[in-house]
Amino acid sequence: WRPAISLLAAHRTHHRSCFSCKAMLLHLCARRLARRVPRRCLALGDHFFSKDGALRRDPAQVSHFELLGLEKGLDVDDDALDEGLRVLQRRLHPDRFATSTQEQRDLADAASARVNGATAVLRDDLKRADYLLLLETGTSVLDDETRTAPPSLLMEVMEVREAIDDATDGGALEALVAANDVKVEDAKARLRAEVDGGDLKAASNVVVELNFYGKIEGEALAKADGEGWSIAFGDRRRQA
């Protein structure tokens, strides 16, 4: 935006009395500044507000993807997610409603909670996949307590859990988690294939698998922490 400012400064030097031109140049400067914000972000959060700028009691329902200005899919652009979150946080910041009514402050808190909840889901690969299936089928796999995993998967998970319990050093846990990682990558590839192919029932079954594999990793990390073992995968997971 520096060229717009330079242009404005030069104009002030040579045409101090031309108020209409100054207004035009100020408008130009503002437009150039606006271009620094992605166009998709300019209207983020509009559904929270009425035409007079007040927060709505019943904002329109939009998906997590729409809320944060993202394309619906298994993958998200982390930079775009961060930018969408920043835009919404600015628009819903408590300071903007410090002199408003209590109702408006409560609505701002509720809107912020909605944004934070959506962000948490979209940042997590498994939760994002489950949410995508929820949008398509109306059912959340992770919240369906009546869904049962195939007996073969339950047996496999039980055996790995026993191996975690029986592990006597960090190396044994490293090997178990490495094997689990291979299964996770295979399941992710199958999930993408099922979603792309439109087989949402099969995709839901893969989400069940991934959920169990995630629990295995968590139990291995808990075992290492409980024993005081230093393990590379634990450091990597904690940093993530």
Side-chain angles (χ1 to χ4, degrees):
W1 46 279
R2 192 170 295 171
I5 294 176
S6 300
L7 181 61
L8 181 58
H11 180 82
R12 284 175 175 166
T13 301
H14 299 291
H15 301 281
R16 294 182 182 277
S17 61
C18 184
F19 294 106
S20 61
C21 291
K22 287 180 181 179
M24 289 178 62
L25 287 168
L26 285 170
H27 177 67
L28 174 62
C29 185
R31 287 182 60 187
R32 292 190 181 182
L33 286 171
R35 290 175 190 159
R36 294 174 63 85
V37 178
R39 185 179 296 254
R40 65 173 184 82
C41 291
L42 295 179
L44 288 187
D46 278 356
H47 69 288
F48 286 123
F49 296 88
S50 57
K51 291 182 179 180
D52 63 2
L55 285 167
R56 296 177 181 273
R57 294 190 183 92
D58 54 346
Q61 296 299 309
V62 299
S63 73
H64 295 347
F65 295 101
E66 293 174 287
L67 177 64
L68 287 146
L70 302 171
E71 292 186 14
K72 184 174 70 173
L74 282 175
D75 302 313
V76 296
D77 183 324
D78 289 336
D79 291 337
L81 175 57
D82 290 339
E83 179 61 31
L85 177 60
R86 283 192 292 269
V87 170
L88 291 170
Q89 286 177 330
R90 285 196 296 269
R91 297 196 69 179
L92 298 169
H93 196 279
D95 289 349
R96 290 182 176 272
F97 304 92
T99 60
S100 300
T101 63
Q102 183 61 51
E103 180 186 39
Q104 285 290 295
R105 292 197 294 273
D106 291 343
L107 290 172
D109 289 341
S112 294
R114 166 81 173 87
V115 170
N116 292 335
T119 301
V121 168
L122 296 185
R123 283 201 193 283
D124 185 285
D125 290 346
L126 179 61
K127 292 179 180 178
R128 185 171 63 249
D130 181 58
Y131 180 69
L132 181 64
L133 292 173
L134 170 64
L135 293 179
E136 298 296 335
T137 68
T139 303
S140 166
V141 176
L142 299 181
D143 290 341
D144 185 2
E145 296 181 354
T146 65
R147 178 182 288 272
T148 57
S152 59
L153 176 61
L154 294 176
M155 181 63 69
E156 174 188 335
V157 170
M158 183 179 69
E159 290 174 353
V160 176
R161 284 174 168 167
E162 289 177 352
I164 290 173
D165 288 339
D166 294 340
T168 57
D169 56 51
L173 287 181
E174 290 277 7
L176 289 169
V177 171
N180 191 64
D181 285 345
V182 172
K183 295 175 183 177
V184 168
E185 292 307 312
D186 173 71
K188 285 182 176 180
R190 285 187 286 113
L191 174 62
R192 185 175 302 281
E194 303 296 3
V195 170
D196 291 344
D199 191 341
L200 301 183
K201 181 178 180 180
S204 297
N205 291 334
V206 179
V207 169
V208 172
E209 279 187 63
L210 285 167
N211 189 36
F212 275 108
Y213 295 149
K215 291 178 179 179
I216 286 173
E217 180 180 301
E219 290 177 18
L221 183 57
K223 169 82 173 187
D225 287 344
E227 298 289 346
W229 295 336
S230 177
I231 48 177
F233 83 83
D235 294 336
R236 186 169 67 252
R237 294 325 194 258
R238 290 190 189 90
Q239 290 171 1

Short mmCIF file of all heavy atoms in Angstrom, two decimals, residues 156 160 163-164 171-187 213 216-217 220 233 236-237:
data_model
loop_
_atom_site.label_atom_id
_atom_site.label_comp_id
_atom_site.label_asym_id
_atom_site.label_seq_id
_atom_site.Cartn_x
_atom_site.Cartn_y
_atom_site.Cartn_z
N GLU A 156 -8.09 -56.98 16.74
CA GLU A 156 -6.79 -56.38 16.42
C GLU A 156 -6.43 -55.32 17.46
O GLU A 156 -5.29 -55.28 17.96
CB GLU A 156 -6.86 -55.76 15.03
CG GLU A 156 -5.63 -54.98 14.62
CD GLU A 156 -5.85 -54.23 13.32
OE1 GLU A 156 -6.70 -54.64 12.51
OE2 GLU A 156 -5.16 -53.21 13.11
N VAL A 160 -3.25 -55.21 20.33
CA VAL A 160 -2.28 -54.11 20.41
C VAL A 160 -2.29 -53.50 21.81
O VAL A 160 -1.24 -53.18 22.38
CB VAL A 160 -2.57 -53.03 19.35
CG1 VAL A 160 -1.61 -51.85 19.52
CG2 VAL A 160 -2.44 -53.61 17.95
N ALA A 163 -0.34 -55.62 24.04
CA ALA A 163 1.09 -55.44 23.78
C ALA A 163 1.61 -54.16 24.42
O ALA A 163 2.73 -54.12 24.93
CB ALA A 163 1.34 -55.42 22.27
N ILE A 164 0.78 -53.13 24.43
CA ILE A 164 1.17 -51.87 25.09
C ILE A 164 1.32 -52.10 26.59
O ILE A 164 2.29 -51.65 27.22
CB ILE A 164 0.13 -50.76 24.80
CG1 ILE A 164 0.19 -50.34 23.33
CG2 ILE A 164 0.37 -49.55 25.70
CD1 ILE A 164 -0.91 -49.38 22.91
N GLY A 171 11.45 -48.69 23.48
CA GLY A 171 11.66 -49.24 22.15
C GLY A 171 10.49 -50.08 21.68
O GLY A 171 10.10 -50.04 20.51
N ALA A 172 9.93 -50.86 22.60
CA ALA A 172 8.78 -51.70 22.25
C ALA A 172 7.59 -50.83 21.87
O ALA A 172 6.85 -51.14 20.92
CB ALA A 172 8.42 -52.61 23.43
N LEU A 173 7.40 -49.72 22.60
CA LEU A 173 6.30 -48.81 22.28
C LEU A 173 6.53 -48.14 20.93
O LEU A 173 5.59 -47.93 20.15
CB LEU A 173 6.15 -47.75 23.37
CG LEU A 173 5.55 -48.21 24.70
CD1 LEU A 173 5.43 -47.04 25.66
CD2 LEU A 173 4.18 -48.85 24.49
N GLU A 174 7.80 -47.77 20.67
CA GLU A 174 8.13 -47.15 19.37
C GLU A 174 7.71 -48.07 18.23
O GLU A 174 7.13 -47.62 17.24
CB GLU A 174 9.64 -46.89 19.29
CG GLU A 174 10.15 -45.78 20.20
CD GLU A 174 9.96 -44.41 19.59
OE1 GLU A 174 9.33 -44.30 18.53
OE2 GLU A 174 10.44 -43.44 20.18
N ALA A 175 8.00 -49.36 18.36
CA ALA A 175 7.67 -50.32 17.30
C ALA A 175 6.16 -50.45 17.13
O ALA A 175 5.65 -50.51 16.00
CB ALA A 175 8.28 -51.68 17.62
N LEU A 176 5.44 -50.47 18.25
CA LEU A 176 3.98 -50.58 18.18
C LEU A 176 3.36 -49.36 17.52
O LEU A 176 2.44 -49.48 16.70
CB LEU A 176 3.41 -50.76 19.59
CG LEU A 176 3.68 -52.11 20.26
CD1 LEU A 176 3.30 -52.06 21.74
CD2 LEU A 176 2.91 -53.23 19.54
N VAL A 177 3.86 -48.18 17.87
CA VAL A 177 3.31 -46.95 17.28
C VAL A 177 3.68 -46.84 15.81
O VAL A 177 2.88 -46.38 14.99
CB VAL A 177 3.80 -45.71 18.07
CG1 VAL A 177 3.41 -44.43 17.34
CG2 VAL A 177 3.19 -45.72 19.46
N ALA A 178 4.89 -47.28 15.44
CA ALA A 178 5.30 -47.25 14.03
C ALA A 178 4.36 -48.14 13.20
O ALA A 178 3.94 -47.77 12.09
CB ALA A 178 6.74 -47.71 13.89
N ALA A 179 4.03 -49.31 13.72
CA ALA A 179 3.12 -50.21 13.02
C ALA A 179 1.72 -49.58 12.94
O ALA A 179 1.03 -49.71 11.91
CB ALA A 179 3.05 -51.55 13.74
N ASN A 180 1.32 -48.90 14.00
CA ASN A 180 0.02 -48.24 14.01
C ASN A 180 -0.03 -47.10 12.99
O ASN A 180 -1.05 -46.88 12.33
CB ASN A 180 -0.27 -47.70 15.42
CG ASN A 180 -1.70 -47.25 15.60
OD1 ASN A 180 -2.64 -48.05 15.52
ND2 ASN A 180 -1.89 -45.95 15.82
N ASP A 181 1.09 -46.39 12.85
CA ASP A 181 1.16 -45.30 11.89
C ASP A 181 0.94 -45.79 10.46
O ASP A 181 0.30 -45.11 9.64
CB ASP A 181 2.51 -44.57 11.97
CG ASP A 181 2.62 -43.68 13.19
OD1 ASP A 181 1.58 -43.39 13.81
OD2 ASP A 181 3.75 -43.25 13.51
N VAL A 182 1.48 -46.96 10.15
CA VAL A 182 1.29 -47.54 8.82
C VAL A 182 -0.20 -47.80 8.57
O VAL A 182 -0.73 -47.52 7.48
CB VAL A 182 2.10 -48.85 8.68
CG1 VAL A 182 1.75 -49.55 7.38
CG2 VAL A 182 3.58 -48.56 8.74
N LYS A 183 -0.88 -48.32 9.60
CA LYS A 183 -2.32 -48.58 9.47
C LYS A 183 -3.10 -47.29 9.29
O LYS A 183 -4.08 -47.22 8.54
CB LYS A 183 -2.82 -49.33 10.70
CG LYS A 183 -2.23 -50.73 10.86
CD LYS A 183 -2.68 -51.37 12.16
CE LYS A 183 -2.03 -52.73 12.35
NZ LYS A 183 -2.42 -53.34 13.65
N VAL A 184 -2.68 -46.24 9.99
CA VAL A 184 -3.35 -44.94 9.88
C VAL A 184 -3.24 -44.40 8.46
O VAL A 184 -4.22 -43.93 7.87
CB VAL A 184 -2.76 -43.93 10.89
CG1 VAL A 184 -3.25 -42.51 10.58
CG2 VAL A 184 -3.14 -44.31 12.31
N GLU A 185 -2.03 -44.44 7.89
CA GLU A 185 -1.83 -43.93 6.54
C GLU A 185 -2.64 -44.73 5.52
O GLU A 185 -3.21 -44.16 4.58
CB GLU A 185 -0.35 -43.94 6.18
CG GLU A 185 0.48 -42.94 6.97
CD GLU A 185 -0.07 -41.53 6.89
OE1 GLU A 185 -0.38 -41.07 5.75
OE2 GLU A 185 -0.20 -40.87 7.94
N ASP A 186 -2.69 -46.04 5.70
CA ASP A 186 -3.48 -46.88 4.81
C ASP A 186 -4.96 -46.54 4.92
O ASP A 186 -5.67 -46.42 3.90
CB ASP A 186 -3.27 -48.36 5.15
CG ASP A 186 -4.20 -49.27 4.36
OD1 ASP A 186 -3.99 -49.40 3.14
OD2 ASP A 186 -5.14 -49.82 4.96
N ALA A 187 -5.43 -46.34 6.14
CA ALA A 187 -6.85 -46.01 6.36
C ALA A 187 -7.18 -44.64 5.76
O ALA A 187 -8.26 -44.46 5.17
CB ALA A 187 -7.17 -46.04 7.85
N TYR A 213 -7.46 -46.37 15.98
CA TYR A 213 -6.02 -46.22 15.85
C TYR A 213 -5.51 -45.01 16.64
O TYR A 213 -4.42 -45.03 17.20
CB TYR A 213 -5.63 -46.08 14.38
CG TYR A 213 -5.92 -47.31 13.54
CD1 TYR A 213 -6.24 -47.20 12.19
CD2 TYR A 213 -5.88 -48.58 14.11
CE1 TYR A 213 -6.50 -48.33 11.42
CE2 TYR A 213 -6.16 -49.71 13.35
CZ TYR A 213 -6.48 -49.57 12.01
OH TYR A 213 -6.75 -50.69 11.26
N ILE A 216 -5.19 -46.01 20.23
CA ILE A 216 -4.00 -46.83 20.46
C ILE A 216 -2.79 -45.93 20.70
O ILE A 216 -2.01 -46.15 21.62
CB ILE A 216 -3.75 -47.77 19.26
CG1 ILE A 216 -4.78 -48.90 19.27
CG2 ILE A 216 -2.33 -48.32 19.28
CD1 ILE A 216 -4.72 -49.78 18.04
N GLU A 217 -2.63 -44.94 19.86
CA GLU A 217 -1.50 -44.02 20.03
C GLU A 217 -1.57 -43.31 21.38
O GLU A 217 -0.56 -43.15 22.07
CB GLU A 217 -1.48 -42.99 18.91
CG GLU A 217 -0.33 -42.02 19.01
CD GLU A 217 -0.34 -41.02 17.87
OE1 GLU A 217 -0.27 -41.43 16.71
OE2 GLU A 217 -0.42 -39.81 18.18
N ALA A 220 -0.48 -45.64 24.12
CA ALA A 220 0.97 -45.84 24.11
C ALA A 220 1.69 -44.65 24.74
O ALA A 220 2.64 -44.81 25.51
CB ALA A 220 1.45 -46.06 22.68
N PHE A 233 8.43 -40.67 19.44
CA PHE A 233 7.09 -40.38 18.93
C PHE A 233 6.31 -39.53 19.93
O PHE A 233 5.46 -38.74 19.55
CB PHE A 233 6.34 -41.67 18.59
CG PHE A 233 5.66 -42.34 19.76
CD1 PHE A 233 4.41 -41.95 20.20
CD2 PHE A 233 6.28 -43.39 20.43
CE1 PHE A 233 3.78 -42.58 21.27
CE2 PHE A 233 5.66 -44.02 21.49
CZ PHE A 233 4.42 -43.61 21.91
N ARG A 236 7.26 -35.94 19.35
CA ARG A 236 6.68 -35.47 18.09
C ARG A 236 5.19 -35.20 18.26
O ARG A 236 4.67 -34.19 17.78
CB ARG A 236 6.89 -36.55 17.03
CG ARG A 236 6.47 -36.13 15.63
CD ARG A 236 6.95 -37.11 14.58
NE ARG A 236 6.30 -38.41 14.67
CZ ARG A 236 6.90 -39.51 15.11
NH1 ARG A 236 8.15 -39.48 15.50
NH2 ARG A 236 6.25 -40.68 15.16
N ARG A 237 4.48 -36.07 18.95
CA ARG A 237 3.03 -35.90 19.11
C ARG A 237 2.73 -34.69 20.01
O ARG A 237 1.80 -33.95 19.76
CB ARG A 237 2.40 -37.15 19.73
CG ARG A 237 2.41 -38.43 18.91
CD ARG A 237 2.26 -38.24 17.42
NE ARG A 237 1.96 -39.49 16.75
CZ ARG A 237 2.84 -40.23 16.06
NH1 ARG A 237 4.09 -39.84 15.94
NH2 ARG A 237 2.46 -41.34 15.47
#
